[in-house]
Amino acid sequence: DVKVTQSSRYLVKRTGEKVFLECVQDMDHENMFWYRQDPGLGLRLIYFSYDVKMKEKGDIPEGYSVSREKKERFSLILESASTNQTSMYLCASTRLVMSNQPQHFGDGTRLSIL
Amino acid sequence: DQQVKQNSPSLSVQEGRISILNCDYTNSMFDYFLWYKKYPAEGPTFLISISSIKDKNEDGRFTVFLNKSAKHLSLHIVPSQPGDSAVYFCAATTQGGSEKLVFGKGTKLTVNP
């Protein structure tokens, strides 16, 4: 069974802080993704990565950066947190080669910025 | 521009009856479609998928139908159970691409006992 683990289920931070959200997968997947989920907006892609040290912007990358130093770990960074970044953050992974493989999600991190 | 649309934010059905969740897409390049189910405070769980070379895929109580000419897909759950109560997301992608998924906004299904 694929396991995608997000380091925190709940996190409270203050405006202006630098925030790190960590995600680890145990299936040697090439692709990893960060989404945020907001009521009425569905899941929106922030960044994704095909391989170590590779990254590509998704639909809403502003205010975020990512890091992928090891294949199993993908970090989302809020450079200077703002209240509009209060959201549920979801990490996912999948294989690169087989295009019809579903993405597997972690349980999410509910982040509140005060 | 919303490429994947789920026009019903919520749906309520009686236990044992059929649930039909609908999804429309606008991008004709999409050729692989997925349904995810999400409970509160959990990540989405993959439910069922369909490739554009098919018009139907079945897995137990869950069936997905694809109408390419109408750019429409639907998820049928028969019979519906209270444990099916969740938010259902439709997603689409292009095969051989980056595996980026485009999600709809979700439909909250409530199955009443």
Side-chain angles (χ1 to χ4, degrees):
Chain A
D1 239 11
V2 176
K3 185 71 175 173
V4 179
T5 303
Q6 294 184 231
S7 54
S8 304
R9 293 298 300 272
Y10 301 94
L11 209 51
V12 180
K13 296 290 182 181
R14 297 211 172 269
T15 303
E17 279 193 71
K18 190 168 186 176
V19 180
F20 293 85
L21 303 183
E22 306 287 344
C23 175
V24 177
Q25 50 92 4
D26 65 357
M27 285 302 292
D28 202 36
H29 283 167
E30 291 84 1
N31 288 357
M32 296 188 75
F33 306 82
W34 275 106
Y35 296 88
R36 63 180 281 178
Q37 184 200 357
D38 300 289
L41 295 179
L43 278 72
R44 293 180 293 166
L45 182 64
I46 304 172
Y47 266 98
F48 62 104
S49 170
Y50 295 128
D51 202 350
V52 175
K53 298 195 186 295
M54 303 290 288
K55 62 183 179 182
E56 288 207 24
K57 293 180 180 179
D59 300 317
I60 50 164
E62 296 79 19
Y64 303 94
S65 63
V66 290
S67 172
R68 190 147 181 221
E69 296 296 320
K70 293 185 177 182
K71 191 174 186 180
E72 67 271 18
R73 185 180 297 270
F74 192 35
S75 303
L76 179 70
I77 304 156
L78 286 65
E79 297 290 343
S80 176
S82 64
T83 54
N84 63 12
Q85 292 178 309
T86 291
S87 186
M88 168 72 92
Y89 289 87
L90 292 159
C91 175
S93 72
T94 189
R95 288 222 170 274
L96 175 63
V97 176
M98 295 293 289
S99 62
N100 59 349
Q101 293 295 303
Q103 291 184 18
H104 299 270
F105 284 83
D107 281 338
T109 296
R110 184 161 292 283
L111 175 65
S112 296
I113 307 295
L114 304 179
Chain B
D1 181 32
Q2 204 181 338
Q3 298 185 71
V4 177
K5 298 178 185 178
Q6 293 178 256
N7 290 321
S8 298
S10 62
L11 175 68
S12 184
V13 300
Q14 213 55 35
E15 181 178 6
R17 307 295 288 267
I18 184 171
S19 295
I20 301 176
L21 294 93
N22 293 303
C23 179
D24 296 294
Y25 62 96
T26 56
N27 188 341
S28 57
M29 297 300 291
F30 288 147
D31 54 10
Y32 190 68
F33 305 89
L34 307 90
W35 284 94
Y36 281 84
K37 172 177 164 179
K38 187 180 184 298
Y39 294 117
E42 292 185 13
T45 302
F46 169 70
L47 197 55
I48 193 169
S49 62
I50 188 166
S51 167
S52 59
I53 62 173
K54 296 185 175 182
D55 54 18
K56 177 183 172 181
N57 189 26
E58 200 169 346
D59 184 1
R61 296 186 297 114
F62 303 91
T63 303
V64 56
F65 295 91
L66 175 62
N67 182 334
K68 287 187 291 294
S69 60
K71 293 191 179 71
H72 176 83
L73 63 155
S74 60
L75 175 68
H76 293 212
I77 307 174
V78 183
S80 301
Q81 299 173 354
D84 295 330
S85 297
V87 177
Y88 289 78
F89 291 99
C90 171
T93 188
T94 55
Q95 288 191 356
S98 61
E99 279 73 42
K100 278 178 63 175
L101 291 178
V102 180
F103 284 87
K105 293 183 179 181
T107 296
K108 183 177 182 180
L109 173 66
T110 302
V111 180
N112 301 302

